[in-house]
Amino acid sequence: MIVFLWSISMLSVALGCYQEPIPPCSCRSISFHTTEITCKDATEIEQLQISLNKFQESPIQTLYIMDSSLQYLPSKIFSGLNVEKLHIVNCTFNALTDSDVAFVGLEKSLKNLIVQETTIYSGWNWQHLQKLTGLTEIRTIKSGLGEIDSDIAEISLLDLYSLQLTQDLISYIDDRAFARFIKLKVLSLKRNLIPEVKRSMFPNPATSLIQINLGHNKIEELPGDIFINMPSLVSVLLGKITS
């Protein structure tokens, strides 16, 4: 009996969800050594911190923060966690973080950041993400982006292979916005209000770029030199927005 109980205990630890969760977060074991944490309807920073602290010993494949309204996400709220994918969905924040750097503790583990239908009242500050050295994909969907200014270069040194800023209100892009993203393979700006693009906006040469999605924007024509020095490009999506 002792051996049996010990085996069950070790299996629970391996699966990750081995502690009783504290709201607003819950845990689900989705496969061996893989967990999924969902934090929903969070309104108090302190309570969210206490809830997340329960999972410091758990390997987390995906962490969802959903349907929540907070002043900000404290820079160290994820300290001690090991999260591969972070989804922020249908949330509102006065600011993303209370520091110059967001998501402290996830610098090496976080690979995918997805922000969907989320409002940051103070606006996006790309500098907040510049320490996430493990990040390979950033995706925003309906998250209040109205322009892509030169400050997006703050994250150009990350090992990003995919940058998708989609279904938003982007109507302005700096002339050299993505020029320093030399490792980028996929760039999607689909379903925005972009009126034009220039060759200077992209790396030159763009040796890594495989796909560009500019579909459903307000682009009437492309510059004649737009695809020069893009030797790896295999896919370009250009479907026009309909009124």
Side-chain angles (χ1 to χ4, degrees):
M1 178 63 72
I2 293 176
V3 172
F4 175 75
L5 291 175
W6 179 86
S7 298
I8 293 296
S9 176
M10 292 305 296
L11 178 59
S12 297
V13 171
L15 290 175
C17 296
Y18 58 92
Q19 292 196 54
E20 188 69 25
I22 299 175
C25 301
S26 60
C27 181
R28 184 169 74 96
S29 296
I30 56 178
S31 66
F32 187 75
H33 231 290
T34 304
T35 62
E36 181 180 281
I37 307 299
T38 299
C39 303
K40 194 171 183 180
D41 298 319
T43 57
E44 297 182 10
I45 293 173
E46 184 177 355
Q47 186 62 27
L48 179 60
Q49 178 74 81
I50 292 171
S51 186
L52 286 171
N53 284 345
K54 295 284 286 186
F55 306 109
Q56 288 195 356
E57 303 302 322
S58 304
I60 302 170
Q61 183 187 71
T62 307
L63 171 59
Y64 291 95
I65 299 179
M66 305 177 64
D67 306 329
S68 297
S69 180
L70 297 163
Q71 185 177 354
Y72 52 78
L73 290 171
S75 61
K76 296 183 179 180
I77 197 168
F78 304 111
S79 183
L81 298 179
N82 187 345
V83 179
E84 182 178 341
K85 301 176 183 178
L86 176 59
H87 292 228
I88 301 175
V89 183
N90 192 33
C91 293
T92 58
F93 305 105
N94 288 339
L96 182 60
T97 183
D98 58 343
S99 175
D100 292 335
V101 180
F103 311 131
V104 171
L106 303 184
E107 291 86 354
K108 295 182 179 180
S109 68
L110 191 63
K111 306 298 181 187
N112 306 88
L113 175 63
I114 299 174
V115 182
Q116 180 174 354
E117 297 181 86
T118 288
T119 300
I120 303 172
Y121 289 113
S122 64
W124 276 82
N125 186 338
W126 297 105
Q127 182 183 5
H128 290 158
L129 309 180
Q130 65 178 338
K131 299 295 185 181
L132 298 173
T133 56
L135 205 59
T136 59
E137 179 184 24
I138 296 175
R139 189 177 352 152
T140 67
I141 306 162
K142 297 181 181 179
S143 290
L145 284 171
E147 62 180 31
I148 305 299
D149 218 330
S150 59
D151 64 337
I152 198 170
E154 297 282 356
I155 60 171
S156 64
L157 296 180
L158 301 179
D159 288 331
L160 290 175
Y161 77 82
S162 179
L163 180 60
Q164 303 181 50
L165 312 175
T166 66
Q167 300 182 53
D168 228 317
L169 301 174
I170 299 171
S171 59
Y172 168 80
I173 302 178
D174 181 80
D175 283 356
R176 293 187 53 80
F178 309 108
R180 293 170 57 183
F181 288 75
I182 59 175
K183 299 178 182 179
L184 202 61
K185 294 183 179 181
V186 176
L187 175 63
S188 179
L189 301 168
K190 70 178 181 180
R191 297 190 181 277
N192 280 287
L193 303 174
I194 299 166
E196 66 172 343
V197 290
K198 301 177 181 179
R199 178 64 185 89
S200 62
M201 294 175 178
F202 308 96
N204 194 355
T207 55
S208 299
L209 200 57
I210 294 174
Q211 181 185 99
I212 301 175
N213 190 341
L214 299 170
H216 299 278
N217 278 282
K218 293 188 173 183
I219 300 168
E220 294 289 341
E221 60 181 2
L222 296 174
D225 64 346
I226 190 67
F227 301 126
I228 289 177
N229 288 334
M230 294 186 180
S232 300
L233 194 65
V234 296
S235 177
V236 179
L237 303 174
L238 295 170
K240 185 180 176 182
I241 194 171
T242 56
S243 56

Coordinates of all heavy atoms in Angstrom, one line a residue, residues 60-125:
I60 N 5.3 24.0 -17.0 CA 4.1 24.6 -17.6 C 4.3 24.7 -19.2 O 5.2 25.5 -19.6 CB 3.7 25.9 -17.0 CG1 3.5 25.8 -15.5 CG2 2.5 26.5 -17.7 CD1 3.4 27.1 -14.8
Q61 N 3.5 24.0 -19.9 CA 3.6 24.2 -21.4 C 2.9 25.5 -21.8 O 3.4 26.3 -22.5 CB 3.0 23.0 -22.1 CG 3.1 23.1 -23.6 CD 2.3 22.1 -24.4 OE1 1.1 22.1 -24.4 NE2 3.0 21.1 -24.9
T62 N 1.7 25.7 -21.3 CA 0.9 26.9 -21.7 C 0.3 27.5 -20.5 O -0.3 26.8 -19.6 CB -0.2 26.5 -22.7 OG1 0.4 25.8 -23.8 CG2 -0.9 27.7 -23.2
L63 N 0.4 28.8 -20.3 CA -0.2 29.6 -19.3 C -1.2 30.6 -20.0 O -0.8 31.4 -20.8 CB 0.8 30.4 -18.5 CG 0.3 31.4 -17.5 CD1 -0.6 30.8 -16.4 CD2 1.5 32.1 -16.8
Y64 N -2.4 30.5 -19.6 CA -3.5 31.4 -20.1 C -3.8 32.4 -19.0 O -4.1 32.0 -17.9 CB -4.7 30.6 -20.5 CG -4.6 29.7 -21.7 CD1 -4.3 28.4 -21.5 CD2 -4.8 30.2 -23.0 CE1 -4.2 27.5 -22.6 CE2 -4.7 29.4 -24.1 CZ -4.4 28.0 -23.9 OH -4.3 27.2 -25.0
I65 N -3.9 33.7 -19.4 CA -4.5 34.7 -18.5 C -5.6 35.2 -19.3 O -5.4 35.9 -20.4 CB -3.5 35.8 -18.1 CG1 -2.3 35.2 -17.4 CG2 -4.1 36.9 -17.3 CD1 -1.2 36.2 -17.0
M66 N -6.8 35.0 -18.8 CA -8.0 35.3 -19.6 C -9.1 36.1 -18.9 O -9.2 36.0 -17.6 CB -8.7 34.0 -20.0 CG -7.8 33.0 -20.8 SD -8.6 31.4 -21.2 CE -9.9 32.0 -22.3
D67 N -9.8 36.9 -19.6 CA -11.0 37.6 -19.1 C -10.7 38.4 -17.8 O -11.5 38.4 -16.8 CB -12.1 36.6 -18.8 CG -12.5 35.8 -20.1 OD1 -12.3 36.4 -21.2 OD2 -12.9 34.7 -19.9
S68 N -9.5 39.0 -17.7 CA -9.0 39.6 -16.5 C -8.8 41.1 -16.7 O -8.6 41.6 -17.8 CB -7.7 39.0 -16.0 OG -7.9 37.6 -15.7
S69 N -9.0 41.8 -15.6 CA -8.8 43.3 -15.6 C -7.9 43.6 -14.4 O -8.2 43.5 -13.2 CB -10.1 44.0 -15.4 OG -10.0 45.4 -15.4
L70 N -6.7 44.1 -14.7 CA -5.7 44.4 -13.7 C -5.0 45.7 -14.0 O -4.9 46.1 -15.2 CB -4.6 43.3 -13.7 CG -5.1 41.9 -13.3 CD1 -4.0 40.8 -13.7 CD2 -5.3 41.8 -11.8
Q71 N -4.4 46.3 -13.0 CA -3.7 47.6 -13.2 C -2.5 47.3 -14.1 O -2.2 48.1 -15.0 CB -3.3 48.2 -11.9 CG -2.6 49.5 -12.0 CD -2.3 50.1 -10.7 OE1 -2.6 49.6 -9.6 NE2 -1.6 51.3 -10.7
Y72 N -1.8 46.2 -13.8 CA -0.6 45.8 -14.6 C -0.3 44.4 -14.2 O -0.8 43.8 -13.2 CB 0.6 46.7 -14.4 CG 0.9 47.0 -13.0 CD1 1.6 46.0 -12.2 CD2 0.5 48.1 -12.3 CE1 1.9 46.2 -10.9 CE2 0.8 48.4 -11.0 CZ 1.5 47.4 -10.3 OH 1.8 47.6 -8.9
L73 N 0.6 43.7 -14.9 CA 1.2 42.5 -14.5 C 2.6 42.8 -13.9 O 3.5 43.2 -14.6 CB 1.4 41.5 -15.7 CG 0.1 41.0 -16.3 CD1 0.5 40.2 -17.6 CD2 -0.5 40.0 -15.3
P74 N 2.8 42.7 -12.6 CA 4.0 43.0 -12.0 C 5.2 42.3 -12.7 O 5.0 41.1 -13.1 CB 3.9 42.4 -10.5 CG 2.4 42.5 -10.3 CD 1.8 42.1 -11.6
S75 N 6.3 42.9 -12.8 CA 7.4 42.4 -13.6 C 7.9 41.0 -13.1 O 8.3 40.2 -13.9 CB 8.6 43.4 -13.6 OG 9.1 43.6 -12.3
K76 N 7.7 40.8 -11.8 CA 8.3 39.5 -11.2 C 7.1 38.5 -10.9 O 7.4 37.6 -10.1 CB 9.1 39.8 -10.0 CG 10.4 40.6 -10.3 CD 11.2 40.9 -9.1 CE 12.5 41.7 -9.4 NZ 13.3 41.9 -8.2
I77 N 6.0 38.7 -11.4 CA 4.8 37.9 -11.0 C 5.1 36.4 -11.5 O 4.5 35.5 -11.0 CB 3.5 38.4 -11.6 CG1 2.3 37.8 -10.8 CG2 3.4 38.3 -13.1 CD1 1.0 38.4 -11.1
F78 N 5.9 36.3 -12.6 CA 6.1 34.9 -13.1 C 7.5 34.4 -12.6 O 7.9 33.3 -13.1 CB 6.1 35.0 -14.6 CG 4.9 35.5 -15.2 CD1 4.9 36.7 -15.9 CD2 3.7 34.8 -15.1 CE1 3.7 37.3 -16.4 CE2 2.5 35.3 -15.6 CZ 2.5 36.5 -16.3
S79 N 8.1 35.0 -11.7 CA 9.4 34.6 -11.2 C 9.3 33.2 -10.5 O 8.4 33.0 -9.7 CB 10.0 35.6 -10.2 OG 11.2 35.2 -9.7
G80 N 10.2 32.3 -10.9 CA 10.1 30.9 -10.4 C 9.3 30.0 -11.2 O 9.3 28.8 -10.9
L81 N 8.6 30.5 -12.2 CA 7.8 29.6 -13.1 C 8.6 29.3 -14.4 O 9.6 30.0 -14.8 CB 6.5 30.3 -13.6 CG 5.6 30.7 -12.4 CD1 4.4 31.4 -13.0 CD2 5.1 29.5 -11.7
N82 N 8.2 28.2 -15.0 CA 8.9 27.7 -16.2 C 7.8 27.6 -17.3 O 7.1 26.5 -17.3 CB 9.6 26.4 -16.0 CG 10.4 25.9 -17.2 OD1 10.3 26.4 -18.3 ND2 11.3 25.0 -17.0
V83 N 7.6 28.6 -18.1 CA 6.4 28.7 -19.0 C 7.0 28.7 -20.4 O 7.8 29.5 -20.8 CB 5.6 29.9 -18.7 CG1 4.4 30.0 -19.7 CG2 5.1 29.9 -17.3
E84 N 6.4 27.8 -21.3 CA 6.8 27.8 -22.7 C 6.0 28.7 -23.5 O 6.5 29.4 -24.4 CB 6.8 26.4 -23.2 CG 7.2 26.3 -24.7 CD 7.2 24.8 -25.2 OE1 7.1 23.9 -24.3 OE2 7.2 24.6 -26.4
K85 N 4.7 28.7 -23.3 CA 3.7 29.5 -24.1 C 2.9 30.4 -23.1 O 2.3 29.8 -22.2 CB 2.8 28.7 -24.9 CG 3.6 27.8 -25.9 CD 2.6 26.8 -26.6 CE 3.4 25.9 -27.6 NZ 2.4 24.9 -28.3
L86 N 2.7 31.7 -23.4 CA 1.9 32.6 -22.7 C 0.9 33.2 -23.6 O 1.2 33.8 -24.5 CB 2.8 33.7 -22.0 CG 2.0 34.7 -21.2 CD1 1.2 34.1 -20.1 CD2 3.0 35.8 -20.7
H87 N -0.4 32.9 -23.2 CA -1.5 33.5 -24.0 C -2.3 34.5 -23.0 O -2.7 34.1 -22.0 CB -2.5 32.4 -24.4 CG -2.0 31.5 -25.4 ND1 -2.7 31.1 -26.5 CD2 -0.8 30.8 -25.5 CE1 -2.0 30.2 -27.3 NE2 -0.9 30.0 -26.6
I88 N -2.4 35.7 -23.5 CA -3.1 36.8 -22.8 C -4.3 37.1 -23.6 O -4.2 37.6 -24.7 CB -2.3 38.0 -22.5 CG1 -1.0 37.6 -21.7 CG2 -3.1 39.1 -21.8 CD1 -0.1 38.7 -21.4
V89 N -5.5 36.8 -23.1 CA -6.7 36.8 -23.9 C -7.9 37.6 -23.2 O -8.2 37.3 -22.1 CB -7.2 35.4 -24.3 CG1 -8.5 35.4 -25.2 CG2 -6.1 34.5 -24.9
N90 N -8.4 38.6 -24.0 CA -9.6 39.3 -23.5 C -9.3 40.0 -22.1 O -10.1 39.8 -21.2 CB -10.8 38.4 -23.4 CG -12.1 39.3 -23.2 OD1 -12.2 40.4 -23.7 ND2 -13.0 38.7 -22.5
C91 N -8.2 40.7 -22.0 CA -7.8 41.3 -20.7 C -7.7 42.8 -20.9 O -7.5 43.3 -22.1 CB -6.5 40.8 -20.2 SG -6.6 39.0 -19.7
T92 N -7.7 43.6 -19.8 CA -7.4 45.0 -19.9 C -6.4 45.3 -18.8 O -6.4 44.8 -17.7 CB -8.7 45.8 -19.6 OG1 -9.3 45.5 -18.3 CG2 -9.7 45.6 -20.7
F93 N -5.4 46.2 -19.2 CA -4.4 46.6 -18.2 C -4.2 48.1 -18.4 O -4.3 48.6 -19.5 CB -3.0 45.9 -18.6 CG -3.1 44.4 -18.6 CD1 -3.1 43.7 -19.8 CD2 -3.2 43.7 -17.4 CE1 -3.1 42.4 -19.8 CE2 -3.2 42.3 -17.4 CZ -3.2 41.7 -18.6
N94 N -3.9 48.8 -17.3 CA -3.5 50.2 -17.5 C -2.1 50.3 -18.1 O -1.9 51.1 -19.0 CB -3.4 50.9 -16.1 CG -4.8 51.1 -15.5 OD1 -5.8 51.2 -16.3 ND2 -4.9 51.3 -14.2
A95 N -1.3 49.3 -17.7 CA 0.1 49.2 -18.4 C 0.4 47.7 -18.3 O -0.1 46.9 -17.4 CB 1.1 50.0 -17.6
L96 N 1.2 47.2 -19.2 CA 1.6 45.8 -19.2 C 2.4 45.4 -18.0 O 2.1 44.3 -17.5 CB 2.4 45.5 -20.5 CG 2.8 44.0 -20.7 CD1 1.5 43.1 -20.8 CD2 3.6 43.8 -21.9
T97 N 3.3 46.3 -17.5 CA 4.1 45.9 -16.4 C 4.4 47.2 -15.6 O 4.1 48.3 -16.0 CB 5.4 45.3 -16.9 OG1 6.2 44.9 -15.7 CG2 6.2 46.3 -17.7
D98 N 4.9 47.0 -14.4 CA 5.3 48.1 -13.5 C 6.8 48.4 -13.5 O 7.3 49.2 -12.7 CB 4.9 47.8 -12.1 CG 5.6 46.5 -11.5 OD1 6.1 45.7 -12.4 OD2 5.6 46.3 -10.3
S99 N 7.5 47.9 -14.5 CA 8.9 48.1 -14.6 C 9.3 48.3 -16.1 O 8.4 48.4 -17.0 CB 9.6 46.8 -14.1 OG 11.0 46.9 -14.3
D100 N 10.6 48.5 -16.3 CA 11.1 48.6 -17.7 C 11.1 47.3 -18.5 O 11.2 47.2 -19.7 CB 12.5 49.2 -17.7 CG 12.5 50.7 -17.3 OD1 11.4 51.3 -17.4 OD2 13.5 51.1 -16.8
V101 N 11.0 46.2 -17.7 CA 11.1 44.9 -18.3 C 9.9 44.0 -17.8 O 9.6 44.0 -16.6 CB 12.4 44.2 -17.9 CG1 12.5 42.8 -18.5 CG2 13.6 45.0 -18.4
A102 N 9.2 43.3 -18.7 CA 8.1 42.5 -18.4 C 8.5 41.0 -18.3 O 9.5 40.6 -18.9 CB 7.0 42.6 -19.4
F103 N 7.7 40.2 -17.6 CA 7.9 38.7 -17.6 C 9.3 38.3 -17.0 O 9.9 37.4 -17.6 CB 7.6 38.2 -19.0 CG 6.4 38.7 -19.6 CD1 6.4 39.1 -20.9 CD2 5.2 38.7 -19.0 CE1 5.3 39.6 -21.5 CE2 4.0 39.1 -19.6 CZ 4.1 39.6 -20.9
V104 N 9.7 38.9 -16.0 CA 11.0 38.5 -15.4 C 10.9 37.1 -14.9 O 9.9 36.7 -14.3 CB 11.3 39.5 -14.2 CG1 12.5 38.9 -13.4 CG2 11.6 40.9 -14.7
G105 N 11.9 36.3 -15.2 CA 11.9 34.9 -14.8 C 11.6 34.0 -16.0 O 11.8 32.8 -15.9
L106 N 11.0 34.5 -17.0 CA 10.6 33.7 -18.2 C 11.6 34.0 -19.4 O 11.3 33.6 -20.5 CB 9.2 34.0 -18.7 CG 8.1 33.9 -17.6 CD1 6.7 34.1 -18.3 CD2 8.1 32.5 -17.0
E107 N 12.7 34.6 -19.1 CA 13.6 35.1 -20.2 C 14.0 33.9 -21.1 O 14.1 34.1 -22.3 CB 14.9 35.7 -19.6 CG 14.6 37.1 -18.9 CD 14.2 37.0 -17.5 OE1 14.0 35.8 -17.0 OE2 14.1 38.0 -16.8
K108 N 14.3 32.8 -20.5 CA 14.8 31.7 -21.3 C 13.8 30.6 -21.7 O 13.8 30.0 -22.7 CB 16.0 31.0 -20.6 CG 17.2 31.8 -20.4 CD 18.3 31.0 -19.7 CE 19.5 31.9 -19.5 NZ 20.7 31.2 -18.8
S109 N 12.8 30.5 -20.9 CA 11.8 29.4 -21.1 C 10.7 29.8 -22.1 O 10.2 29.0 -22.8 CB 11.1 29.0 -19.8 OG 10.3 30.1 -19.3
L110 N 10.3 31.1 -22.1 CA 9.2 31.5 -22.9 C 9.5 31.6 -24.4 O 10.4 32.3 -24.8 CB 8.7 32.9 -22.5 CG 7.3 33.4 -23.1 CD1 6.2 32.5 -22.6 CD2 7.0 34.8 -22.7
K111 N 8.8 30.8 -25.2 CA 9.0 30.7 -26.6 C 7.9 31.4 -27.4 O 8.2 32.0 -28.5 CB 9.0 29.2 -27.1 CG 10.0 28.3 -26.3 CD 11.4 28.8 -26.5 CE 12.4 27.8 -25.8 NZ 13.8 28.3 -25.8
N112 N 6.7 31.4 -27.0 CA 5.6 31.9 -27.7 C 4.8 32.9 -26.8 O 4.3 32.5 -25.8 CB 4.6 30.8 -28.2 CG 5.4 29.8 -29.0 OD1 5.9 28.8 -28.5 ND2 5.4 29.9 -30.3
L113 N 4.5 34.1 -27.3 CA 3.7 35.1 -26.7 C 2.6 35.5 -27.6 O 2.8 36.0 -28.7 CB 4.5 36.3 -26.3 CG 3.8 37.5 -25.7 CD1 3.1 37.1 -24.4 CD2 4.7 38.7 -25.5
I114 N 1.3 35.2 -27.1 CA 0.2 35.6 -27.9 C -0.7 36.5 -27.1 O -1.1 36.1 -26.0 CB -0.6 34.3 -28.3 CG1 0.3 33.4 -29.2 CG2 -1.9 34.7 -29.1 CD1 -0.4 32.1 -29.5
V115 N -1.0 37.7 -27.6 CA -1.9 38.6 -27.0 C -3.1 38.9 -27.9 O -3.0 39.4 -29.0 CB -1.1 39.9 -26.7 CG1 -2.0 40.9 -25.9 CG2 0.2 39.7 -25.9
Q116 N -4.3 38.5 -27.4 CA -5.5 38.5 -28.2 C -6.6 39.3 -27.5 O -6.9 39.1 -26.4 CB -5.9 37.1 -28.5 CG -7.2 37.0 -29.3 CD -7.5 35.6 -29.7 OE1 -6.8 34.7 -29.4 NE2 -8.7 35.4 -30.4
E117 N -7.2 40.3 -28.3 CA -8.3 41.0 -27.8 C -8.1 41.6 -26.4 O -8.9 41.5 -25.5 CB -9.6 40.2 -27.9 CG -10.0 39.7 -29.3 CD -11.2 38.9 -29.3 OE1 -12.3 39.5 -29.4 OE2 -11.1 37.7 -29.3
T118 N -6.9 42.2 -26.3 CA -6.5 42.8 -25.0 C -6.1 44.2 -25.2 O -5.5 44.7 -26.2 CB -5.2 42.0 -24.5 OG1 -5.7 40.7 -24.1 CG2 -4.6 42.7 -23.3
T119 N -6.5 45.0 -24.2 CA -6.3 46.5 -24.2 C -5.3 46.9 -23.2 O -5.4 46.5 -22.0 CB -7.6 47.3 -23.9 OG1 -8.6 46.9 -24.9 CG2 -7.4 48.7 -24.0
I120 N -4.3 47.6 -23.6 CA -3.2 48.2 -22.8 C -3.4 49.7 -22.9 O -3.0 50.3 -23.9 CB -1.8 47.7 -23.1 CG1 -1.7 46.2 -23.1 CG2 -0.8 48.3 -22.2 CD1 -0.4 45.7 -23.7
Y121 N -4.0 50.3 -21.9 CA -4.4 51.7 -22.0 C -3.2 52.7 -22.2 O -3.4 53.7 -22.9 CB -5.2 52.1 -20.8 CG -6.6 51.5 -20.7 CD1 -6.9 50.6 -19.8 CD2 -7.6 51.8 -21.7 CE1 -8.2 50.0 -19.7 CE2 -8.8 51.3 -21.7 CZ -9.1 50.3 -20.7 OH -10.4 49.8 -20.7
S122 N -2.1 52.3 -21.7 CA -0.9 53.2 -21.8 C -0.2 52.9 -23.1 O 0.8 53.6 -23.5 CB 0.1 53.0 -20.7 OG 0.6 51.6 -20.7
G123 N -0.7 51.9 -23.9 CA -0.1 51.6 -25.2 C 1.0 50.6 -25.1 O 1.5 50.2 -24.0
W124 N 1.4 50.1 -26.3 CA 2.5 49.1 -26.4 C 3.8 49.7 -26.2 O 4.1 50.7 -26.8 CB 2.4 48.4 -27.7 CG 1.4 47.3 -27.7 CD1 0.0 47.4 -27.9 CD2 1.6 45.9 -27.5 NE1 -0.6 46.1 -27.8 CE2 0.4 45.2 -27.6 CE3 2.8 45.1 -27.3 CZ2 0.3 43.8 -27.5 CZ3 2.7 43.8 -27.2 CH2 1.4 43.1 -27.3
N125 N 4.7 49.0 -25.4 CA 6.1 49.4 -25.3 C 6.9 48.2 -25.6 O 7.0 47.3 -24.7 CB 6.3 50.0 -23.9 CG 7.7 50.5 -23.7 OD1 8.7 50.2 -24.4 ND2 7.9 51.4 -22.7

